[in-house]
Amino acid sequence: DTAVSQTPKYLVTQMGNDKSIKCEQNLGHDTMYWYKQDSKKFLKIMFSYNNKELIINETVPNRFSPKSPDKAHLNLHINSLELGDSAVYFCASSQEGISYTFGSGTRLTVV
Amino acid sequence: AQKVTQAQTEISVVEKEDVTLDCVYETRDTTYYLFWYKQPPSGELVFLIRRNSFDEQNEISGRYSWNFQKSTSSFNFTITASQVVDSAVYFCALSEGAGGGNKLTFGTGTQLKVEL
Protein backbone atom coordinates (compact mmCIF):
# COMPACT_ATOMS: atom_id res chain seq x y z
CA ASP A 1 0.00 0.00 0.00
CA THR A 2 1.98 2.97 -1.34
CA ALA A 3 2.17 5.95 1.02
CA VAL A 4 2.68 8.62 -1.66
CA SER A 5 1.73 7.60 -5.16
CA GLN A 6 2.10 9.69 -8.27
CA THR A 7 1.03 8.98 -11.80
CA PRO A 8 2.16 8.61 -14.45
CA LYS A 9 5.69 7.33 -13.85
CA TYR A 10 6.80 8.34 -17.33
CA LEU A 11 5.41 11.04 -19.57
CA VAL A 12 6.66 11.84 -23.06
CA THR A 13 4.97 14.68 -24.85
CA GLN A 14 5.50 17.29 -27.54
CA MET A 15 6.29 20.95 -26.98
CA GLY A 16 3.21 23.07 -26.57
CA ASN A 17 1.04 20.33 -25.10
CA ASP A 18 -0.70 20.51 -21.73
CA LYS A 19 -0.22 17.67 -19.25
CA SER A 20 -1.07 16.77 -15.67
CA ILE A 21 0.64 14.72 -12.99
CA LYS A 22 -1.40 13.36 -10.12
CA CYS A 23 -0.35 12.70 -6.54
CA GLU A 24 -2.12 11.08 -3.63
CA GLN A 25 -0.98 10.34 -0.09
CA ASN A 26 -2.60 8.02 2.42
CA LEU A 27 -0.52 9.05 5.42
CA GLY A 28 -2.91 11.65 6.76
CA HIS A 29 -0.24 14.35 6.37
CA ASP A 30 -1.32 17.98 6.30
CA THR A 31 1.22 19.28 3.80
CA MET A 32 2.03 18.22 0.27
CA TYR A 33 4.77 19.38 -2.09
CA TRP A 34 6.01 19.30 -5.64
CA TYR A 35 9.75 19.16 -6.22
CA LYS A 36 11.59 19.32 -9.54
CA GLN A 37 14.83 17.44 -10.13
CA ASP A 38 16.75 18.74 -13.12
CA SER A 39 19.30 16.98 -15.29
CA LYS A 40 22.07 17.83 -12.82
CA LYS A 41 20.11 16.07 -10.06
CA PHE A 42 19.39 19.28 -8.21
CA LEU A 43 16.15 19.04 -6.21
CA LYS A 44 14.20 22.24 -5.86
CA ILE A 45 10.83 22.90 -4.30
CA MET A 46 8.11 24.25 -6.55
CA PHE A 47 4.98 24.37 -4.42
CA SER A 48 3.59 23.35 -1.08
CA TYR A 49 0.01 23.09 0.10
CA ASN A 50 -1.16 22.84 3.67
CA ASN A 51 -4.71 21.59 4.10
CA LYS A 52 -5.56 22.61 0.52
CA GLU A 53 -4.09 26.10 0.95
CA LEU A 54 -1.12 27.23 -1.16
CA ILE A 55 1.76 28.01 1.18
CA ILE A 56 4.88 28.06 -0.98
CA ASN A 57 5.19 29.11 -4.61
CA GLU A 58 8.85 29.33 -5.52
CA THR A 59 9.22 31.49 -8.63
CA VAL A 60 7.72 28.90 -10.87
CA PRO A 61 6.40 30.01 -14.29
CA ASN A 62 2.65 30.44 -14.23
CA ARG A 63 2.38 27.71 -16.83
CA PHE A 64 2.60 25.43 -13.80
CA SER A 65 -0.61 25.29 -11.78
CA PRO A 66 -0.99 23.07 -8.74
CA LYS A 67 -4.42 22.02 -7.53
CA SER A 68 -5.32 20.43 -4.23
CA PRO A 69 -8.93 19.20 -4.14
CA ASP A 70 -8.39 17.83 -0.63
CA LYS A 71 -5.46 17.39 1.71
CA ALA A 72 -4.72 13.90 0.37
CA HIS A 73 -4.29 15.02 -3.23
CA LEU A 74 -2.03 17.49 -5.00
CA ASN A 75 -2.01 17.57 -8.77
CA LEU A 76 0.29 19.50 -11.07
CA HIS A 77 -0.93 20.83 -14.38
CA ILE A 78 1.54 22.20 -16.91
CA ASN A 79 0.44 24.29 -19.88
CA SER A 80 2.34 24.89 -23.11
CA LEU A 81 5.16 22.52 -22.26
CA GLU A 82 8.69 23.60 -23.15
CA LEU A 83 11.87 21.60 -23.66
CA GLY A 84 13.25 23.00 -20.40
CA ASP A 85 10.39 21.45 -18.47
CA SER A 86 11.94 18.04 -19.01
CA ALA A 87 12.83 16.77 -15.54
CA VAL A 88 11.78 14.37 -12.84
CA TYR A 89 8.95 15.69 -10.69
CA PHE A 90 8.57 14.39 -7.17
CA CYS A 91 5.52 14.68 -5.01
CA ALA A 92 6.00 14.58 -1.24
CA SER A 93 3.98 14.87 1.92
CA SER A 94 4.93 15.94 5.40
CA GLN A 95 3.54 16.13 8.87
CA GLU A 96 4.62 19.30 10.68
CA GLY A 97 7.78 19.54 8.59
CA ILE A 98 9.33 16.80 10.66
CA SER A 99 9.14 13.79 8.38
CA TYR A 100 8.86 13.79 4.61
CA THR A 101 7.71 10.97 2.36
CA PHE A 102 8.36 11.10 -1.37
CA GLY A 103 6.60 9.52 -4.29
CA SER A 104 8.60 7.52 -6.81
CA GLY A 105 8.81 10.41 -9.27
CA THR A 106 7.44 11.23 -12.73
CA ARG A 107 9.97 11.49 -15.52
CA LEU A 108 8.70 14.12 -17.95
CA THR A 109 10.32 14.31 -21.37
CA VAL A 110 9.32 17.10 -23.72
CA VAL A 111 10.29 16.55 -27.35
CA ALA B 1 17.22 31.54 4.60
CA GLN B 2 18.12 27.91 4.86
CA LYS B 3 20.95 26.49 2.80
CA VAL B 4 22.69 23.14 2.48
CA THR B 5 26.14 22.70 0.95
CA GLN B 6 27.57 19.41 -0.24
CA ALA B 7 30.96 20.39 -1.58
CA GLN B 8 31.82 16.93 -2.92
CA THR B 9 30.22 16.52 -6.32
CA GLU B 10 31.51 13.02 -6.96
CA ILE B 11 33.49 10.47 -4.96
CA SER B 12 34.94 7.23 -6.28
CA VAL B 13 36.15 4.49 -3.94
CA VAL B 14 37.09 0.87 -4.15
CA GLU B 15 34.86 -1.63 -2.41
CA LYS B 16 35.55 -2.04 1.32
CA GLU B 17 36.96 1.45 1.66
CA ASP B 18 35.38 3.81 4.17
CA VAL B 19 33.95 7.02 2.75
CA THR B 20 32.62 10.21 4.34
CA LEU B 21 30.13 12.49 2.65
CA ASP B 22 30.23 16.06 3.91
CA CYS B 23 27.26 18.30 4.59
CA VAL B 24 27.28 21.87 5.90
CA TYR B 25 24.08 23.77 6.58
CA GLU B 26 22.95 27.31 7.31
CA THR B 27 19.88 28.27 9.26
CA ARG B 28 18.73 31.03 11.59
CA ASP B 29 16.28 28.79 13.40
CA THR B 30 17.12 27.08 16.66
CA THR B 31 14.73 24.24 15.87
CA TYR B 32 15.44 22.38 12.67
CA TYR B 33 15.75 18.90 11.23
CA LEU B 34 18.51 17.41 9.14
CA PHE B 35 18.08 14.52 6.76
CA TRP B 36 20.03 12.24 4.48
CA TYR B 37 18.45 10.62 1.44
CA LYS B 38 19.86 8.08 -0.99
CA GLN B 39 18.91 8.10 -4.67
CA PRO B 40 20.01 4.88 -6.38
CA PRO B 41 20.12 4.59 -10.18
CA SER B 42 16.47 3.48 -10.12
CA GLY B 43 15.58 7.06 -9.17
CA GLU B 44 13.52 6.88 -6.01
CA LEU B 45 14.46 8.90 -2.92
CA VAL B 46 15.22 6.63 -0.01
CA PHE B 47 15.09 8.13 3.47
CA LEU B 48 18.14 7.27 5.58
CA ILE B 49 18.04 9.39 8.71
CA ARG B 50 16.48 12.41 10.42
CA ARG B 51 18.13 14.36 13.21
CA ASN B 52 16.61 17.23 15.18
CA SER B 53 18.69 20.21 16.23
CA PHE B 54 18.54 19.33 19.91
CA ASP B 55 20.01 15.89 19.52
CA GLU B 56 23.72 15.94 18.76
CA GLN B 57 24.31 12.31 19.52
CA ASN B 58 26.02 10.47 16.72
CA GLU B 59 24.07 7.64 15.18
CA ILE B 60 25.14 4.31 13.81
CA SER B 61 23.01 2.00 11.71
CA GLY B 62 24.92 -1.00 10.42
CA ARG B 63 27.64 0.28 8.09
CA TYR B 64 26.21 3.80 8.17
CA SER B 65 27.06 6.44 10.74
CA TRP B 66 26.29 10.12 11.07
CA ASN B 67 28.22 12.85 12.85
CA PHE B 68 26.18 15.92 13.78
CA GLN B 69 28.16 18.92 15.04
CA LYS B 70 26.25 22.14 15.69
CA SER B 71 29.47 24.02 16.39
CA THR B 72 30.52 23.60 12.77
CA SER B 73 26.99 23.33 11.31
CA SER B 74 27.86 19.97 9.83
CA PHE B 75 26.06 16.68 9.47
CA ASN B 76 28.46 14.25 7.86
CA PHE B 77 27.69 10.73 6.72
CA THR B 78 30.17 7.86 6.78
CA ILE B 79 29.82 4.53 5.06
CA THR B 80 32.12 1.88 6.48
CA ALA B 81 33.37 -0.94 4.26
CA SER B 82 31.58 0.40 1.21
CA GLN B 83 29.86 -1.95 -1.21
CA VAL B 84 28.92 -1.65 -4.87
CA VAL B 85 25.27 -1.41 -3.83
CA ASP B 86 26.10 1.86 -2.04
CA SER B 87 26.64 3.51 -5.42
CA ALA B 88 24.07 6.28 -5.58
CA VAL B 89 23.56 10.01 -5.23
CA TYR B 90 23.30 11.05 -1.60
CA PHE B 91 21.45 14.18 -0.57
CA CYS B 92 21.66 16.08 2.67
CA ALA B 93 18.61 18.21 3.45
CA LEU B 94 17.33 20.69 6.02
CA SER B 95 13.86 21.56 7.29
CA GLU B 96 13.48 24.57 9.56
CA GLY B 97 11.20 24.62 12.58
CA ALA B 98 7.94 22.72 12.61
CA GLY B 99 4.61 23.39 11.04
CA GLY B 100 2.77 23.44 7.78
CA GLY B 101 4.81 26.16 6.11
CA ASN B 102 8.02 24.25 6.09
CA LYS B 103 9.98 22.84 3.23
CA LEU B 104 12.88 20.52 2.75
CA THR B 105 15.91 22.24 1.25
CA PHE B 106 18.35 19.89 -0.43
CA GLY B 107 22.05 20.10 -1.04
CA THR B 108 23.28 19.52 -4.57
CA GLY B 109 24.04 15.89 -3.84
CA THR B 110 27.18 13.74 -3.87
CA GLN B 111 27.50 11.02 -6.47
CA LEU B 112 29.19 8.03 -4.84
CA LYS B 113 30.70 5.37 -7.08
CA VAL B 114 31.91 2.18 -5.45
CA GLU B 115 33.98 -0.02 -7.73
CA LEU B 116 35.22 -3.57 -7.37
Side-chain angles (χ1 to χ4, degrees), chain B residues 71-85:
Chain B
S71 59
T72 54
S73 297
S74 65
F75 187 42
N76 296 337
F77 173 30
T78 297
I79 302 174
T80 303
S82 60
Q83 299 176 1
V84 172
V85 293

PDB file of all heavy atoms in Angstrom, chain B residues 71-85:
ATOM      1  N   SER B  71      28.431  22.996  16.320  1.00  0.00           N
ATOM      2  CA  SER B  71      29.471  24.022  16.388  1.00  0.00           C
ATOM      3  C   SER B  71      30.024  24.354  15.008  1.00  0.00           C
ATOM      4  O   SER B  71      30.459  25.481  14.751  1.00  0.00           O
ATOM      5  CB  SER B  71      30.604  23.565  17.309  1.00  0.00           C
ATOM      6  OG  SER B  71      31.175  22.361  16.831  1.00  0.00           O
ATOM      7  N   THR B  72      30.020  23.376  14.127  1.00  0.00           N
ATOM      8  CA  THR B  72      30.520  23.605  12.769  1.00  0.00           C
ATOM      9  C   THR B  72      29.402  23.528  11.737  1.00  0.00           C
ATOM     10  O   THR B  72      29.659  23.548  10.535  1.00  0.00           O
ATOM     11  CB  THR B  72      31.599  22.571  12.404  1.00  0.00           C
ATOM     12  OG1 THR B  72      31.057  21.246  12.610  1.00  0.00           O
ATOM     13  CG2 THR B  72      32.836  22.751  13.264  1.00  0.00           C
ATOM     14  N   SER B  73      28.160  23.444  12.198  1.00  0.00           N
ATOM     15  CA  SER B  73      26.990  23.326  11.312  1.00  0.00           C
ATOM     16  C   SER B  73      27.199  22.228  10.274  1.00  0.00           C
ATOM     17  O   SER B  73      26.999  22.427   9.071  1.00  0.00           O
ATOM     18  CB  SER B  73      26.716  24.654  10.598  1.00  0.00           C
ATOM     19  OG  SER B  73      26.396  25.664  11.525  1.00  0.00           O
ATOM     20  N   SER B  74      27.606  21.072  10.753  1.00  0.00           N
ATOM     21  CA  SER B  74      27.864  19.970   9.830  1.00  0.00           C
ATOM     22  C   SER B  74      27.102  18.712  10.247  1.00  0.00           C
ATOM     23  O   SER B  74      26.835  18.494  11.427  1.00  0.00           O
ATOM     24  CB  SER B  74      29.357  19.687   9.739  1.00  0.00           C
ATOM     25  OG  SER B  74      29.842  19.222  10.988  1.00  0.00           O
ATOM     26  N   PHE B  75      26.777  17.939   9.251  1.00  0.00           N
ATOM     27  CA  PHE B  75      26.056  16.685   9.472  1.00  0.00           C
ATOM     28  C   PHE B  75      26.606  15.683   8.464  1.00  0.00           C
ATOM     29  O   PHE B  75      26.029  15.434   7.416  1.00  0.00           O
ATOM     30  CB  PHE B  75      24.557  16.905   9.282  1.00  0.00           C
ATOM     31  CG  PHE B  75      23.692  15.724   9.637  1.00  0.00           C
ATOM     32  CD1 PHE B  75      23.936  14.965  10.769  1.00  0.00           C
ATOM     33  CD2 PHE B  75      22.603  15.380   8.844  1.00  0.00           C
ATOM     34  CE1 PHE B  75      23.124  13.884  11.102  1.00  0.00           C
ATOM     35  CE2 PHE B  75      21.787  14.303   9.159  1.00  0.00           C
ATOM     36  CZ  PHE B  75      22.053  13.559  10.285  1.00  0.00           C
ATOM     37  N   ASN B  76      27.748  15.103   8.795  1.00  0.00           N
ATOM     38  CA  ASN B  76      28.461  14.248   7.861  1.00  0.00           C
ATOM     39  C   ASN B  76      28.026  12.794   7.965  1.00  0.00           C
ATOM     40  O   ASN B  76      27.620  12.322   9.031  1.00  0.00           O
ATOM     41  CB  ASN B  76      29.969  14.362   8.094  1.00  0.00           C
ATOM     42  CG  ASN B  76      30.474  15.757   7.814  1.00  0.00           C
ATOM     43  OD1 ASN B  76      29.856  16.521   7.066  1.00  0.00           O
ATOM     44  ND2 ASN B  76      31.598  16.112   8.411  1.00  0.00           N
ATOM     45  N   PHE B  77      28.183  12.103   6.872  1.00  0.00           N
ATOM     46  CA  PHE B  77      27.687  10.734   6.724  1.00  0.00           C
ATOM     47  C   PHE B  77      28.848   9.838   6.309  1.00  0.00           C
ATOM     48  O   PHE B  77      29.525  10.116   5.317  1.00  0.00           O
ATOM     49  CB  PHE B  77      26.585  10.754   5.662  1.00  0.00           C
ATOM     50  CG  PHE B  77      26.046   9.423   5.230  1.00  0.00           C
ATOM     51  CD1 PHE B  77      26.001   8.334   6.082  1.00  0.00           C
ATOM     52  CD2 PHE B  77      25.554   9.253   3.932  1.00  0.00           C
ATOM     53  CE1 PHE B  77      25.486   7.120   5.669  1.00  0.00           C
ATOM     54  CE2 PHE B  77      25.038   8.031   3.511  1.00  0.00           C
ATOM     55  CZ  PHE B  77      25.000   6.970   4.376  1.00  0.00           C
ATOM     56  N   THR B  78      29.071   8.782   7.089  1.00  0.00           N
ATOM     57  CA  THR B  78      30.167   7.863   6.782  1.00  0.00           C
ATOM     58  C   THR B  78      29.631   6.470   6.471  1.00  0.00           C
ATOM     59  O   THR B  78      28.779   5.962   7.206  1.00  0.00           O
ATOM     60  CB  THR B  78      31.164   7.783   7.953  1.00  0.00           C
ATOM     61  OG1 THR B  78      31.752   9.063   8.145  1.00  0.00           O
ATOM     62  CG2 THR B  78      32.268   6.761   7.668  1.00  0.00           C
ATOM     63  N   ILE B  79      30.124   5.918   5.397  1.00  0.00           N
ATOM     64  CA  ILE B  79      29.821   4.526   5.061  1.00  0.00           C
ATOM     65  C   ILE B  79      31.095   3.722   5.305  1.00  0.00           C
ATOM     66  O   ILE B  79      32.154   4.027   4.731  1.00  0.00           O
ATOM     67  CB  ILE B  79      29.370   4.371   3.600  1.00  0.00           C
ATOM     68  CG1 ILE B  79      28.136   5.232   3.324  1.00  0.00           C
ATOM     69  CG2 ILE B  79      29.074   2.896   3.290  1.00  0.00           C
ATOM     70  CD1 ILE B  79      27.705   5.242   1.868  1.00  0.00           C
ATOM     71  N   THR B  80      30.984   2.740   6.152  1.00  0.00           N
ATOM     72  CA  THR B  80      32.120   1.879   6.475  1.00  0.00           C
ATOM     73  C   THR B  80      32.089   0.649   5.570  1.00  0.00           C
ATOM     74  O   THR B  80      31.022   0.098   5.301  1.00  0.00           O
ATOM     75  CB  THR B  80      32.047   1.453   7.952  1.00  0.00           C
ATOM     76  OG1 THR B  80      32.012   2.620   8.763  1.00  0.00           O
ATOM     77  CG2 THR B  80      33.249   0.605   8.343  1.00  0.00           C
ATOM     78  N   ALA B  81      33.255   0.260   5.112  1.00  0.00           N
ATOM     79  CA  ALA B  81      33.367  -0.944   4.262  1.00  0.00           C
ATOM     80  C   ALA B  81      32.365  -0.865   3.114  1.00  0.00           C
ATOM     81  O   ALA B  81      31.461  -1.701   2.983  1.00  0.00           O
ATOM     82  CB  ALA B  81      33.162  -2.203   5.085  1.00  0.00           C
ATOM     83  N   SER B  82      32.539   0.138   2.280  1.00  0.00           N
ATOM     84  CA  SER B  82      31.578   0.403   1.207  1.00  0.00           C
ATOM     85  C   SER B  82      31.394  -0.806   0.296  1.00  0.00           C
ATOM     86  O   SER B  82      32.285  -1.658   0.137  1.00  0.00           O
ATOM     87  CB  SER B  82      32.034   1.605   0.395  1.00  0.00           C
ATOM     88  OG  SER B  82      33.308   1.357  -0.170  1.00  0.00           O
ATOM     89  N   GLN B  83      30.208  -0.865  -0.290  1.00  0.00           N
ATOM     90  CA  GLN B  83      29.863  -1.948  -1.212  1.00  0.00           C
ATOM     91  C   GLN B  83      29.345  -1.340  -2.511  1.00  0.00           C
ATOM     92  O   GLN B  83      28.883  -0.189  -2.538  1.00  0.00           O
ATOM     93  CB  GLN B  83      28.784  -2.837  -0.594  1.00  0.00           C
ATOM     94  CG  GLN B  83      29.199  -3.514   0.704  1.00  0.00           C
ATOM     95  CD  GLN B  83      28.073  -4.318   1.330  1.00  0.00           C
ATOM     96  OE1 GLN B  83      26.967  -4.400   0.801  1.00  0.00           O
ATOM     97  NE2 GLN B  83      28.363  -4.922   2.480  1.00  0.00           N
ATOM     98  N   VAL B  84      29.383  -2.133  -3.564  1.00  0.00           N
ATOM     99  CA  VAL B  84      28.919  -1.651  -4.870  1.00  0.00           C
ATOM    100  C   VAL B  84      27.474  -1.155  -4.793  1.00  0.00           C
ATOM    101  O   VAL B  84      27.101  -0.165  -5.437  1.00  0.00           O
ATOM    102  CB  VAL B  84      29.066  -2.752  -5.939  1.00  0.00           C
ATOM    103  CG1 VAL B  84      28.410  -2.343  -7.245  1.00  0.00           C
ATOM    104  CG2 VAL B  84      30.541  -3.074  -6.165  1.00  0.00           C
ATOM    105  N   VAL B  85      26.678  -1.801  -3.950  1.00  0.00           N
ATOM    106  CA  VAL B  85      25.268  -1.405  -3.829  1.00  0.00           C
ATOM    107  C   VAL B  85      25.094  -0.027  -3.182  1.00  0.00           C
ATOM    108  O   VAL B  85      24.002   0.541  -3.186  1.00  0.00           O
ATOM    109  CB  VAL B  85      24.428  -2.440  -3.032  1.00  0.00           C
ATOM    110  CG1 VAL B  85      24.321  -3.724  -3.791  1.00  0.00           C
ATOM    111  CG2 VAL B  85      24.993  -2.625  -1.640  1.00  0.00           C
TER     112      VAL B  85
END
